[in-house]
Amino acid sequence: MLELENVTFGYPNNILFENLSLKVHPGDVVSILGPSGSGKTTLFKLITSLSKPGKGSILIDNKTCYMSKISYMMQEDLLLEHKTVMGNLLLVFKIKNPFKLKRFKEYFGKKKAFREKAQKMLSQMGLCGYEDYFPSALSKGMRQRVSLARALLFERPYLLLDEPFSAVDPKRRKILFKILMKMKMKYNLTILQITHDILDAKELSDTVYTLSDKSLKEVLS
């Protein structure tokens, strides 16, 4: 379970959250709506330890050290421009499996298996044939799909998504919803997403909150 208990965070003369609490149960899909500047992305940075709360605690499965359980798709895709689409996805393999293997043959075998998994994910995302493209040659929506593919390939139990479909056209969005739900079932994912689109939130979520006036308010469950 992901738990935020009485979290307070802010800057001088600007408190974003005050005694904010939230519980996300295993297997849940939770969406957070809110206007720009309300602190949605900052909330994700607190959960991922990129920022520290002024007060309160954040726990996953009753532990404060939990980064190995989280995959985070940021609002900016952060693709490496000097690497191809496949190269960006293969970085996940290197992060998950640091080069500690003694035999090159064993290492190569694992890398080959991951490439096949990445290729399958690209196909599901509608990006088959773009493996050798560099990010600069992709549209914003395509870059966003690569970023989502990368996040899913980590196969970690908690998935944080910051505006995952904002640049994707409606037809492709429906396909990605199905892929995300399929991955959720396969890996028993717990998903927390930020979105400006209430229809996206209703389509995917068990519970929807709004973030405003320094606190979360449940609007749909």
Side-chain angles (χ1 to χ4, degrees), residues 3-195:
E3 298 179 85
L4 283 72
E5 299 179 352
N6 299 316
V7 171
T8 296
F9 179 86
Y11 307 97
N13 302 318
N14 183 19
I15 302 297
L16 290 179
F17 322 124
E18 196 164 23
N19 296 321
L20 184 149
S21 294
L22 174 67
K23 289 186 178 181
V24 181
H25 295 273
D28 279 358
V29 180
V30 173
S31 290
I32 298 176
L33 301 166
S36 297
S38 61
K40 301 185 301 297
T41 296
T42 299
L43 181 62
F44 270 19
K45 288 181 178 179
L46 293 175
I47 294 172
T48 55
S49 299
L50 293 174
S51 298
K52 298 294 183 183
K55 294 180 182 179
S57 63
I58 301 174
L59 305 171
I60 286 185
D61 299 336
N62 295 315
K63 296 180 180 179
T64 56
C65 296
Y66 51 71
M67 285 310 299
S68 63
K69 294 187 176 184
I70 288 182
S71 180
Y72 179 21
M73 176 186 167
M74 295 184 177
Q75 191 169 2
E76 303 81 14
D77 58 70
L78 300 182
L79 299 178
L80 296 181
E81 300 294 339
H82 66 285
K83 287 187 175 291
T84 63
V85 167
M86 180 59 73
N88 270 278
L89 296 188
L90 288 177
L91 287 175
V92 176
F93 173 82
K94 294 180 180 179
I95 294 171
K96 290 176 63 178
N97 302 274
F99 188 73
K100 296 180 180 179
L101 301 174
K102 296 181 180 180
R103 295 181 298 173
F104 177 79
K105 184 177 180 181
E106 184 180 0
Y107 172 77
F108 181 79
K110 288 182 178 292
K111 185 175 181 180
K112 182 179 179 181
F114 188 84
R115 181 181 287 272
E116 291 173 353
K117 185 179 289 188
Q119 184 65 54
K120 183 178 180 180
M121 182 67 74
L122 285 176
S123 179
Q124 290 178 310
M125 293 288 173
L127 293 170
C128 189
Y130 290 92
E131 300 84 355
D132 296 326
Y133 280 57
F134 288 93
S136 60
L138 305 179
S139 68
K140 186 175 180 181
M142 294 168 74
R143 291 175 67 113
Q144 203 165 27
R145 280 184 270 158
V146 176
S147 182
L148 179 59
R150 181 178 58 189
L152 289 169
L153 284 170
F154 274 102
E155 297 175 358
R156 291 173 174 171
Y158 291 86
L159 179 62
L160 272 58
L161 303 174
D162 191 345
E163 297 286 356
F165 310 112
S166 61
V168 179
D169 64 84
K171 183 177 179 180
R172 180 66 61 184
R173 189 177 297 197
K174 293 289 185 182
I175 296 172
L176 294 183
F177 287 172
K178 292 180 180 179
I179 294 170
L180 185 59
M181 289 299 100
K182 183 178 179 180
M183 297 294 285
K184 174 190 178 297
M185 296 299 294
K186 183 176 181 178
Y187 297 107
N188 193 29
L189 298 176
T190 302
I191 301 173
L192 183 61
Q193 77 154 342
I194 290 169
T195 179

